[in-house]
Amino acid sequence: MRRAGLAFVLVLAALVPLGCAGAEGQRAQELLAQSDQALANVKSYRLAGRMWMETPVGDFGFVLRGGGNMKNGGSSFMTMSAEDVPGFPGVTVVTRGQTMWVNVGGGWQRSELPAGTTTGVEQFDFTPYVKDVDVEEGHDVGGEPAVKVGGVFDTAGLLEGMFDQLGGVPGGALPDLSEHLGDSRVVLYISETSHLPLRTLLDMSMEAEGERIDMHMDFALSGVNEPVKIPGPGS
């Protein structure tokens, strides 16, 4: 399930180091621990959202849809489409157990993940890159009471740390990213009743040769524990 797009819950959970920000940091830890436990009990789900980019040559939007269930070792899918981007082929990713298929523009490519592979962000330590954590009570998402939990982190430092934990990058040292990547912000709206993450937002920016690109993601969880059909490769 985390592999299919709910990893932002783990990202934000990892953004809250023990004791960070006093009482507010402890409250965030409590909320995220409840959310992680609620997700662990989910048998099936749907995911829908959008991603848009603001660039010097124009703005581009993408639609994301997906879902998953835990039957027979777990399976999931995610699609990305963009009607307003000429030539964009569309992308579909399907996973069943340790097997993954990727379709970009009509051709399926299959790969096998090693048994026991950890694909979620829990394999990394994000805490050194936290810059701020905040909690706001009293929000409403689709008529359901929710708590807003947000975190700001050093994007460049985070990526460099991840590559270090992966053993570096092919071909030598990673270039200095601090001049190109700004801080990122992740926000979760967590249900006060089910403790599930109802809505997730991500904002990040990058700059190169004097040009700036802003990327935003906004997606929501729905259809929890309802039947979900996972498309098969070739369908």
Side-chain angles (χ1 to χ4, degrees):
M1 179 174 183
R2 293 171 177 175
R3 183 185 306 156
L6 295 177
F8 282 122
V9 177
L10 297 173
V11 170
L12 194 51
L15 287 176
V16 187
L18 293 172
C20 176
E24 188 160 285
Q26 293 177 10
R27 173 62 172 151
Q29 283 184 302
E30 174 187 340
L31 291 166
L32 292 164
Q34 291 174 343
S35 183
D36 199 30
Q37 182 59 48
L39 285 171
N41 295 324
V42 167
K43 302 302 181 185
S44 62
Y45 66 94
R46 295 187 183 89
L47 200 63
R50 62 193 183 104
M51 177 177 71
W52 65 102
M53 301 177 68
E54 301 170 10
T55 78
V57 296
D59 298 346
F60 304 95
F62 303 87
V63 176
L64 307 172
R65 298 189 183 280
N69 62 56
M70 304 309 294
K71 293 181 179 179
N72 302 319
S75 59
S76 66
F77 77 98
M78 181 70 71
T79 66
M80 177 185 292
S81 59
E83 294 182 356
D84 60 342
V85 180
F88 186 78
V91 178
T92 301
V93 178
V94 176
T95 64
R96 294 183 184 277
Q98 295 298 118
T99 304
M100 178 174 67
W101 294 265
V102 178
N103 186 324
V104 181
W108 289 94
Q109 297 292 326
R110 172 175 172 163
S111 61
E112 295 291 334
L113 300 172
T117 298
T118 303
T119 56
V121 298
E122 67 271 23
Q123 62 186 305
F124 303 108
D125 179 14
F126 296 88
T127 57
Y129 316 107
V130 180
K131 304 184 76 170
D132 188 31
V133 174
D134 59 81
V135 177
E136 293 181 8
E137 311 277 350
H139 286 267
D140 182 282
V141 178
E144 189 167 348
V147 180
K148 176 183 175 183
V149 182
V152 177
F153 58 95
D154 174 7
T155 313
L158 172 63
L159 290 177
E160 290 169 355
M162 290 176 64
F163 280 114
D164 286 344
Q165 292 186 53
L166 288 169
V169 295
L174 188 71
D176 183 9
L177 300 175
S178 60
E179 297 182 359
H180 307 291
L181 297 174
D183 292 342
S184 295
R185 179 168 180 81
V186 182
V187 173
L188 289 176
Y189 289 90
I190 299 175
S191 168
E192 293 186 10
T193 53
S194 68
H195 304 299
L196 290 170
L198 303 174
R199 187 180 178 192
T200 304
L201 301 96
L202 170 68
D203 295 303
M204 65 180 297
S205 64
M206 60 192 74
E207 187 170 336
E209 299 182 354
E211 303 287 358
R212 178 185 172 97
I213 297 176
D214 293 306
M215 186 182 77
H216 313 275
M217 292 187 68
D218 182 350
F219 61 89
L221 184 70
S222 65
V224 173
N225 294 333
E226 296 177 0
V228 174
K229 182 179 180 180
I230 308 297
S235 63

